[in-house]
Amino acid sequence: MVSVDLDKFDRRQRMRWWAMRFVVYGLLAIWAVICIFPVFWTVTTSLKIAADVMRGNLVPLLDFQPSWLGWRSLGLSPDTIFETSTVRAEFMRRFWNSVIISGTSSTLAVFLGTLAAYGLSRFSYKFGYMRNSDISFFFLSQLIMPPVVLALPFLVLYKQLALLDTYVGMIAVYTLMVLPIVVWIMRDQFATIPVELEEAALVDGLSIWGAFSRIIVPLVLPGMIAAFILALILCWNEYFFAALLTSTNTNTLPVMIASQTGSQGINWWSMAALSTAGILPLVFVGVLLEKHIIAGMTAGAVK
């Protein structure tokens, strides 16, 4: 008869459990550092002078003395924020252009993409040889095509339609850019909802639109918010079409960030300050809407 030392066995199990947790959390910590480091480098660079930027000093108060050089060049430092600054005025104009174009495009893409995804998940379509699965793949395939392929067609089309350097033109192209990913995300969301819920709503007297708006939309609201955040990030950071289709009136923030170059090289401190100012709104929106996503998922689980 073989005797088993239960205390020794339990000790080994606990040691193995703690070892696995140490490895997992260690890998997660390393990955978090890798992901956060670009943001940390950007923020610290905006507080450096030119010499510190070139030396690569990273830790404030230890490797370098923080300065407001990058923010002062934009008129956003504490000693210049209340003074008249043409650079700050230009920054605010580009910033609001990004807010208007990105916010409107993301909202429109979520609205249209949600309707398209609902139709693809609940109804059967036939366009020639194409069925629902083919149409869905067609939407997704638009993400494969590089934007540079559309440069000349869009430029000629926008020139003919007088849409160059206009809000309408930029909102239209940004909406088309993010619409495929919204359709794909929302199609998966609708696929997880039983059709019986809508059938029960129809039996209770609701119309198709009533069942969609009162039953289905509250259930997929967390997915819609997630799709909106992703669309907003893609629109906010988009540079190619903004540089191609705008000139003076509707230039966005990424174009201003990329323009921080001169005959003497790149103004890293100004570029870093602009990038930091561009990152903060996305962080705020992400933190704000994340609460709604978690609340929606929790409410759905309780129901």
Side-chain angles (χ1 to χ4, degrees), residues 234-265:
L234 293 174
C235 291
W236 185 271
N237 295 326
E238 204 284 326
Y239 168 78
F240 179 76
F241 286 113
L244 178 70
L245 303 176
T246 65
S247 56
T248 55
N249 296 325
T250 57
N251 267 346
T252 56
L253 201 55
V255 178
M256 186 177 185
I257 295 174
S259 67
Q260 299 303 306
T261 58
S263 58
Q264 297 181 350

Side-chain angles (χ1 to χ4, degrees), residues 45-152:
T45 301
S46 68
L47 301 173
K48 296 177 183 178
I49 61 176
D52 292 327
V53 172
M54 300 309 171
R55 283 196 294 263
N57 302 79
L58 290 177
V59 184
L61 300 176
L62 181 63
D63 288 342
F64 69 93
Q65 185 65 31
S67 174
W68 291 96
L69 177 62
W71 298 95
R72 187 176 295 109
S73 65
L74 302 176
L76 296 173
S77 62
D79 56 334
T80 60
I81 190 66
F82 298 107
E83 299 177 358
T84 303
S85 173
T86 56
V87 180
R88 183 175 65 248
E90 180 67 14
F91 163 77
M92 294 304 300
R93 187 174 67 84
R94 304 286 187 93
F95 177 83
W96 285 114
N97 284 345
S98 292
V99 171
I100 294 171
I101 294 173
S102 300
T104 306
S105 301
S106 302
T107 304
L108 189 59
V110 170
F111 175 75
L112 297 176
T114 300
L115 295 180
Y118 181 73
L120 289 172
S121 64
R122 292 295 188 266
F123 305 102
S124 297
Y125 296 97
K126 179 181 178 181
F127 293 99
Y129 69 91
M130 298 181 67
R131 301 296 187 271
N132 284 37
S133 58
D134 301 312
I135 297 172
S136 300
F137 180 76
F138 171 77
F139 277 109
L140 185 64
S141 66
Q142 305 308 302
L143 300 174
I144 303 174
M145 183 169 52
V148 69
V149 176
L150 303 174
L152 185 58

Side-chain angles (χ1 to χ4, degrees), residues 280-296:
L280 291 178
L282 293 181
V283 173
F284 175 77
V285 171
V287 172
L288 179 66
L289 295 184
E290 182 186 15
K291 298 179 181 179
H292 293 280
I293 295 176
I294 296 174

Side-chain angles (χ1 to χ4, degrees), residues 146-174:
V148 69
V149 176
L150 303 174
L152 185 58
F154 265 101
L155 192 60
V156 174
L157 178 64
Y158 270 45
K159 184 176 181 181
Q160 293 296 324
L161 297 177
L163 291 176
L164 288 175
D165 202 21
T166 62
Y167 285 112
V168 174
M170 293 303 299
I171 291 172
V173 72
Y174 277 19

